[in-house]
Amino acid sequence: SSIFQLMTPSAFLMRQGLRGLQRGRPSFVGKTRKEKFSALHTNSFFHLTRRPIPILNRRALISQFMVMENLSSGGVFCNTFGAEEVTLRCSDGIELAALRWVSPSSKTMFTDGDHATKCRHRIICLHGWMDNASSFHRLAPALANLENVGVVEEIVAIDFPGHGRSSHKSADSTQILSDYGYYVMEALTEMGWRDSSNKDPKYKITIVAHSMGTGVATFVAAAWPEIVKSVVLIEGFGPFYRNASDVAKHFRLSCERRMKSNRVLYKDAANSPSNMFRGNRRHLNIGAAIETRMFSATLGPGNQYISRETAEALVKRAVILQKDGSVYFQHDSRLIWPTIQYNTQEQVEHLWANIKAPVCLIRANDGWPMEKDVIDNVMKQLRPLCHVELAGSHHLHADPETATGVISEIIQ
C-alpha cells in the first residue's frame, strides 16, 4: 500500500479503461511517480493535498464495484479461502490473527506405515508491508491440497501486529522490522511448532515469505537455524540495509514524525491503539477501497501492478465495514512512519551467513526493481539454492495469472 490512500472516481476509471484496470495493468504503468500524480492532478479528479479529497460519483462506484457478501456482526468480510480463522495469543498480550490450512490427508499421513517416514512440511507464511494473511489466498490452499500425500501437513499465514486483524502494539512501542521476528517465534511456540530439542528434520518448518516478510524470515532463519528446513523468499532478499553514516538522520526523522503524529493519535484518552484505525482514510464502499489498493501498487518503483482479485482479497481482510456501507482500513496508522532503526549491509550479510537452510529466491520481471550490484551481492552472500525470475509483478504469488508458476517453483 502507498502512504497515500487515494480513492479513484468512476469517471477516472472509465477514462483509463476499466477492462485494463481489471487485469491489474492501469494505463499509468511505466510512468514515473511524478507523472502519475501529474496526470491525476491535471485531470482535476483529485485534490492532491497531504490528505487528498476525492470527488466521487457514488452511484457509479457502487454499481460497478460494490461487492455483495455475507458479513459477520463485527463488520468484517468473512472469506477465508478454505482456511480456519485462528487467534494466537502472545505472552505480551498481542493477539495474532492467522489463517490455517490443513492438508485433507494429514490425519492419516503420519500414522500409516507407508507414509510415516515422509517429511512433515509445516509451512508458515509471512506477508509484506501493509498486506495481511490473504496475500497467500492462492498459494497456501494449492500447497495444502497437493495430491502427493505427505508433502504438506499444515500451513499457517499470520497477520503481523498492526496488519490485517491482529492487535495493534501499545502507544509506547516502536515499529522495527526485527520485532516481527519475535512475534513469528511467539506464533510458532503457541502452535507447538517450535521444538529445538528434536533434531529429526521431519519436524522442522518451511518459511514462505513475501516482500517485507523476507526480512522477517531472514532474522528468524538466521537466529534459529535448527528449526528451519527451507526458506522461500518472494520479491525480497531480506532486510533493507542503509549506510551506517545515516543513522543519526534516520533516528531524527523517526522521532520527529512520532512526536508530531502522537499528538493527533493520542489527543484524548479514547483514542487508544485498539481504535487507531480511525485515523485512516474512510472509503465510500469496499469497491472504492479495492481501487485504492490497485492504484497504490502502481506508485511503487518500476512497472508494478496488482490484480483486482489480489487487491480484493487483501482489502477484505484489512477493512472494517461501517453501518453506512463505508469502510476504514484497520491497519495501525503508525506503519507508515519512518523506522527508527535500519540495519547496515554488514549486519544483513552476517544474517545471510547464519542461515543454514536451503533458500529459494523468486523475483518478478515487473516486480520491485533491484540494481545489478545488489543482486550480485545477494547471490554471493546468501548463496540461494535456486534463483528464478518469473513473469508477473510484486504480488506474483497471489495474482491469478502468475501464482501457478510460483507454486511450481516452491514444489520443486
Side-chain angles (χ1 to χ4, degrees), residues 11 22 40 116 135 167 174 203 216 226 239 266 291 384 406 409:
Q22 288 173 329
L40 294 174
S135 175
S167 302
T174 55
Y203 293 87
V216 183
E226 71 277 7
Y266 304 106
E291 288 304 323
V406 178
E409 290 296 331

Side-chain angles (χ1 to χ4, degrees), residues 29-41:
V29 166
K31 296 182 181 296
T32 65
R33 186 184 181 96
K34 182 177 181 181
E35 288 170 338
K36 295 166 188 174
F37 278 108
S38 176
L40 294 174
H41 181 73

Side-chain angles (χ1 to χ4, degrees), residues 2 22 27 29 57 66 87 143 152 162 170-171 216 257 261 267 279 283 288 297 301 303 307 319 347 364 388:
S2 167
Q22 288 173 329
S27 62
V29 166
N57 181 328
M66 187 60 182
T87 300
L143 293 178
V152 173
S170 62
V216 183
R257 177 62 184 272
S261 298
K267 61 183 177 182
H283 291 73
N303 297 326
S307 69
V319 298
Q347 287 176 314
V388 294

Side-chain angles (χ1 to χ4, degrees), residues 211-321:
S211 194
M212 180 191 76
T214 68
V216 183
T218 300
F219 277 108
V220 172
W224 287 273
E226 71 277 7
I227 68 169
V228 179
K229 178 187 303 179
S230 56
V231 183
V232 179
L233 305 180
I234 305 170
E235 276 289 283
F237 51 81
F240 281 127
Y241 48 77
R242 296 290 186 267
N243 294 329
S245 59
D246 291 333
V247 61
K249 178 181 71 174
H250 292 306
F251 180 76
R252 174 171 177 162
L253 286 173
S254 177
C255 290
E256 293 286 359
R257 177 62 184 272
R258 185 178 177 185
M259 289 188 292
K260 179 179 179 180
S261 298
N262 275 352
R263 284 163 172 75
V264 176
L265 290 176
Y266 304 106
K267 61 183 177 182
D268 56 68
N271 199 350
S272 63
S274 62
N275 64 10
M276 217 187 315
F277 71 88
R278 298 290 183 179
N280 299 334
R281 188 164 313 286
R282 171 183 173 271
H283 291 73
L284 178 65
N285 54 52
I286 185 65
I290 292 169
E291 288 304 323
T292 295
R293 184 63 185 89
M294 291 178 68
F295 174 72
S296 69
T298 70
L299 298 179
N303 297 326
Q304 295 185 56
Y305 58 91
I306 190 172
S307 69
R308 182 173 181 82
E309 177 187 297
T310 301
E312 182 175 323
L314 292 171
V315 167
K316 285 184 176 180
R317 191 169 179 82
V319 298
I320 290 289
L321 180 69

Side-chain angles (χ1 to χ4, degrees), residues 86-98 159-169 183:
V86 297
T87 300
L88 304 170
R89 291 173 175 83
C90 303
S91 59
D92 62 355
I94 289 290
E95 293 188 347
L96 300 177
D159 292 336
F160 286 127
H163 295 76
R165 297 175 184 174
S166 288
S167 302
H168 292 186
K169 295 176 69 176
Y183 289 103

Side-chain angles (χ1 to χ4, degrees), residues 121-158:
H121 280 275
R122 289 174 167 176
I123 302 174
I124 187 164
C125 299
L126 309 179
H127 64 77
W129 180 67
M130 302 289 276
D131 283 352
N132 52 60
S134 289
S135 175
F136 301 95
H137 75 286
R138 279 187 168 267
L139 189 151
L143 293 178
N145 288 283
L146 287 173
E147 294 181 0
N148 185 3
V149 177
V151 173
V152 173
E153 177 185 3
E154 188 175 358
I155 303 175
V156 172
I158 66 172

